[in-house]
Amino acid sequence: MKANEKLNMLEKRIAQLELENKNLHETVAYLTKKLYGKSSESSKTLGIEGQLSLFDEAEVTADPKVVEPALKVIEKVIVKKYKGQRKDKLDKLPHHKVVFKLSDEDLNCPECSAELKPVGEEFVRSEVEYIPAQLKVIDIYKEVYECRKCKQAGRPLMAKAPTTKPVIWHSYASASSVAHIMYQKYVNAMPLYRQETDFKNLGLPLKRQTMSNWIIQASKEWLFPITELLHKKMLEEKYLHADETTIEVMNEEGRKNTADSYMWVYGTYKDSKMPIRIFEYKPTRNGDHPKEFLKGFNGYLITDAYQGYEKVENITRCYCFAHLRRYFVDALPTDTKKPESTLPSQGIEYCNKLFKIEEQIENLSAKEKQNQRQELSKPILDAFWSWVNENKDNCLPKSKLAKAFTYALNQKEGFMTFLSDGNIAISNNLAENSIRPFTVGRRNWLFSGSPQGAAASAAVYSIVETAKANGLNPYEYLRYIFKYLPGVCFEEEPEYLEDFLPWNPEVQAFCKKAEE
């Protein structure tokens, strides 16, 4: 081998090692930022605010002849203190009046010793008193009757008063106790072992295994039928959101306890007349799961770019700009003042401009949104794609920035879909916000004890998050279901379940969440 050829090989090898070294440094910085950095992705938090003035002219170059149309700006409401605010907060709570009186020995005038007479009361202050929870046992009896005349005639006749049906047969569980356990676990993220301690302090040695059985049994009997009906209603919609996250489930047949299973969440769009959120536990992330769940749905599906959703038939995919923005955020170096931060910062700013427009047109009709997007968002997107094509080769291969450019280009069609319909959300935040309470709870109890427990958890989360989406108090909605559904013959008359859906007027009246 000639000396020049050997030298060229060594130079190529050095360049390759330098490239690998840069990528490794970037990976270490990225992981360090994930572990110890701030989770917020705002420009101010990221340290890039004020660095993008040169970038502001990018969308102008897309079509300099276009005059920017007027926007119907929705002003953000800043809540300020006002006179009587405290009274308004306390008026909805029950009030108990306490009047302090002078003792008998103090009822004499200090000047002339004559008896003092009351002339009125002076308000001093209001205090909010906390009343600790308490348990009581309801002993249920039914009165028994007999016909004395028939008895005398030798034809004894007995009659018994009807009673309500229990939420769980052969158990001392009540609608309120089961609803409370579910509320604490799935809304307040309190694991059962801590609830066990709370019940013990209240005087009841209630084991976590018993509570777990109650959750599984009550979900199977009363929540599964409602979630199945909600599922059917959801498939009638035209716009849906979907997302998924990991969960560890113990005792899955043929799988290790450390293997990742998945909780899938599906939701109707923001302005739907039937706000629905459905969780579904599945052992894998296979695209066959959303394909099966969404069978019969024809419309727009808003998701991230996970390829598993490609298996879903008869849908138009719409991609999430929050995920795209996150790719550019991940490409930012630790020191945002370095030249390497310029391109990621510009990508973030493009996304920010789109989100800013969405904030301004949020309260417009779907048709008005579509028109505003065509006039305002489309020029920004045209400039963005031009910018991506110009700069995609100006970064290290396999770097975070290269991955951001590739992600954007590979999903270009799906990123443009929201321009065609004002009902299509620009992000998948609706599904992510629905799944967030699950991820918070997951940190507290780490895993589900069995596939049956995971399925029950999915049902409870579905009811709880759907209740929130409909402005209901989740505890009251669960209690309503467990109190009244056991007495309904919905197996023979399925239409009776309609009365238990969260938008039913009676449910709304019974379970409405207190105004904030």
Side-chain angles (χ1 to χ4, degrees):
M1 183 180 293
K2 295 181 180 180
N4 288 341
E5 292 179 358
K6 190 172 184 180
L7 181 62
N8 288 337
M9 288 180 61
L10 290 173
E11 288 176 346
K12 287 181 180 178
R13 180 59 179 161
I14 290 171
Q16 183 183 6
L17 290 173
E18 287 178 345
L19 179 61
E20 290 178 0
N21 187 46
K22 286 183 178 180
N23 284 337
L24 287 171
H25 274 288
E26 183 186 56
T27 301
V28 170
Y30 165 74
L31 293 173
T32 302
K33 184 167 64 174
K34 282 291 184 184
L35 280 172
Y36 306 111
K38 294 181 179 179
S39 59
S40 173
E41 296 178 0
S42 67
S43 297
K44 185 175 181 180
T45 304
L46 295 172
I48 60 175
E49 191 176 47
Q51 299 182 28
L52 305 170
S53 57
L54 291 175
F55 169 70
D56 289 342
E57 58 189 33
E59 62 264 40
V60 178
T61 61
D63 191 350
K65 296 180 181 180
V66 173
V67 179
E68 185 171 338
L71 267 178
K72 182 181 177 182
V73 179
I74 309 300
E75 295 291 339
K76 290 188 176 179
V77 179
I78 300 175
V79 179
K80 296 181 179 179
K81 289 186 177 181
Y82 57 87
K83 189 175 181 180
Q85 185 177 24
R86 179 179 295 183
K87 180 178 180 298
D88 289 347
K89 281 185 177 180
L90 303 182
D91 270 353
K92 295 175 183 176
L93 297 174
H95 285 245
H96 176 67
K97 185 175 179 180
V98 176
V99 180
F100 285 84
K101 299 182 179 182
L102 290 176
S103 60
D104 292 341
E105 55 266 26
D106 293 329
L107 281 175
N108 296 320
C109 176
E111 298 293 333
C112 66
S113 299
E115 184 181 359
L116 297 175
K117 299 292 184 180
V119 294
E121 297 171 352
E122 178 186 348
F123 175 76
V124 181
R125 66 180 182 274
S126 294
E127 297 177 347
V128 176
E129 182 174 350
Y130 173 73
I131 303 173
Q134 59 179 331
L135 300 176
K136 64 179 180 181
V137 178
I138 306 296
D139 295 316
I140 298 174
Y141 293 82
K142 54 184 176 182
E143 200 158 24
V144 182
Y145 302 83
E146 71 169 1
C147 176
R148 299 288 171 82
K149 185 177 180 180
C150 290
K151 183 178 181 181
Q152 291 174 356
R155 303 188 306 272
L157 186 142
M158 308 289 287
K160 298 179 182 179
T163 62
T164 56
K165 299 292 188 294
V167 60
I168 299 174
W169 286 97
H170 311 297
S171 166
Y172 52 85
S174 67
S176 60
S177 59
V178 177
H180 174 75
I181 291 168
M182 289 182 174
Y183 181 83
Q184 290 291 79
K185 180 175 171 66
Y186 298 103
V187 178
N188 293 340
M190 181 183 287
L192 295 182
Y193 76 89
R194 285 172 55 191
Q195 293 194 55
E196 182 178 340
T197 302
D198 281 353
F199 275 107
K200 186 176 181 181
N201 291 336
L202 291 171
L204 178 65
L206 183 60
K207 297 296 182 183
R208 69 194 79 170
Q209 292 84 358
T210 302
M211 288 186 274
S212 180
N213 289 339
W214 287 2
I215 291 172
I216 293 174
Q217 190 63 30
S219 297
K220 180 180 177 182
E221 293 288 338
W222 315 118
L223 301 188
F224 283 9
I226 293 178
T227 56
E228 288 171 7
L229 180 56
L230 290 172
H231 183 194
K232 292 177 182 177
K233 299 286 186 184
M234 175 179 280
L235 296 180
E236 298 171 2
E237 295 282 308
K238 188 179 178 182
Y239 313 92
L240 293 181
H241 293 257
D243 199 9
E244 75 287 335
T245 189
T246 57
I247 177 177
E248 283 188 19
V249 179
M250 312 292 283
N251 303 315
E252 286 183 307
E253 187 175 351
R255 307 185 79 221
K256 294 181 179 179
N257 286 339
T258 54
D260 279 340
S261 299
Y262 284 84
M263 191 68 81
W264 300 75
V265 64
Y266 305 88
T268 53
Y269 77 113
K270 175 178 171 288
D271 295 320
S272 171
K273 294 180 180 179
M274 296 186 296
I276 300 171
R277 311 288 183 263
I278 296 182
F279 288 70
E280 184 182 45
Y281 151 72
K282 290 295 179 182
T284 69
R285 201 188 182 198
N286 193 303
D288 289 331
H289 302 314
K291 176 184 177 181
E292 181 62 27
F293 184 89
L294 295 172
K295 187 180 292 183
F297 169 66
N298 295 280
Y300 296 94
L301 184 64
I302 300 108
T303 66
D304 57 21
Y306 172 51
Q307 290 301 304
Y309 293 109
E310 290 293 335
K311 291 188 176 182
V312 182
E313 300 171 348
N314 303 317
I315 63 164
T316 300
R317 293 199 63 183
C318 314
Y319 295 122
C320 170
F321 276 88
H323 279 81
L324 175 60
R325 186 182 187 279
R326 204 165 295 146
Y327 270 82
F328 287 110
V329 170
D330 291 343
L332 275 175
T334 306
D335 184 358
T336 56
K337 299 190 185 319
K338 287 184 176 181
E340 291 89 338
S341 71
T342 302
L343 289 178
S345 298
Q346 290 177 350
I348 292 168
E349 185 63 11
Y350 270 118
C351 296
N352 286 350
K353 287 178 179 293
L354 293 173
F355 281 114
K356 184 65 176 177
I357 292 171
E358 291 300 309
E359 286 181 15
Q360 294 170 336
I361 66 176
E362 181 180 4
N363 293 337
L364 300 182
S365 68
K367 187 61 179 177
E368 289 173 323
K369 278 184 182 179
Q370 181 183 346
N371 293 337
Q372 291 290 326
R373 286 172 174 176
Q374 288 292 335
E375 294 179 8
L376 297 172
S377 302
K378 191 175 184 301
I380 294 176
L381 279 168
D382 291 341
F384 172 72
W385 297 120
S386 298
W387 172 80
V388 170
N389 286 319
E390 288 173 8
N391 292 282
K392 63 182 180 181
D393 298 324
N394 298 334
C395 56
L396 295 173
K398 298 183 180 180
S399 66
K400 295 290 182 185
L401 183 57
K403 290 179 180 177
F405 285 138
T406 302
Y407 182 84
L409 288 170
N410 287 349
Q411 276 71 236
K412 180 178 178 180
E413 182 180 353
F415 280 124
M416 299 291 284
T417 309
F418 83 103
L419 295 173
S420 64
D421 192 321
N423 284 321
I424 300 174
I426 194 175
S427 77
N428 198 31
N429 287 346
L430 184 144
E432 291 191 355
N433 290 339
S434 296
I435 214 167
R436 186 169 290 118
F438 169 80
T439 60
V440 171
R442 182 181 58 191
R443 293 192 195 105
N444 285 347
W445 58 76
L446 301 180
F447 57 84
S448 288
S450 67
Q452 293 81 6
S457 294
V460 181
Y461 272 118
S462 299
I463 296 296
V464 162
E465 292 303 315
T466 298
K468 292 180 185 178
N470 285 273
L472 302 183
N473 180 320
Y475 166 76
E476 293 294 349
Y477 187 40
L478 287 167
R479 187 167 72 92
Y480 183 89
I481 292 170
F482 296 142
K483 183 176 182 180
Y484 297 111
L485 189 56
V488 176
C489 300
F490 59 86
E491 295 91 348
E492 293 80 17
E493 304 289 343
E495 62 272 15
Y496 288 163
L497 280 176
E498 297 275 350
D499 296 337
F500 290 84
L501 296 181
W503 45 82
N504 181 278
E506 288 188 18
V507 175
Q508 286 281 323
F510 190 92
C511 310
K512 197 67 178 177
K513 184 171 62 175
E515 294 182 7
E516 297 179 357

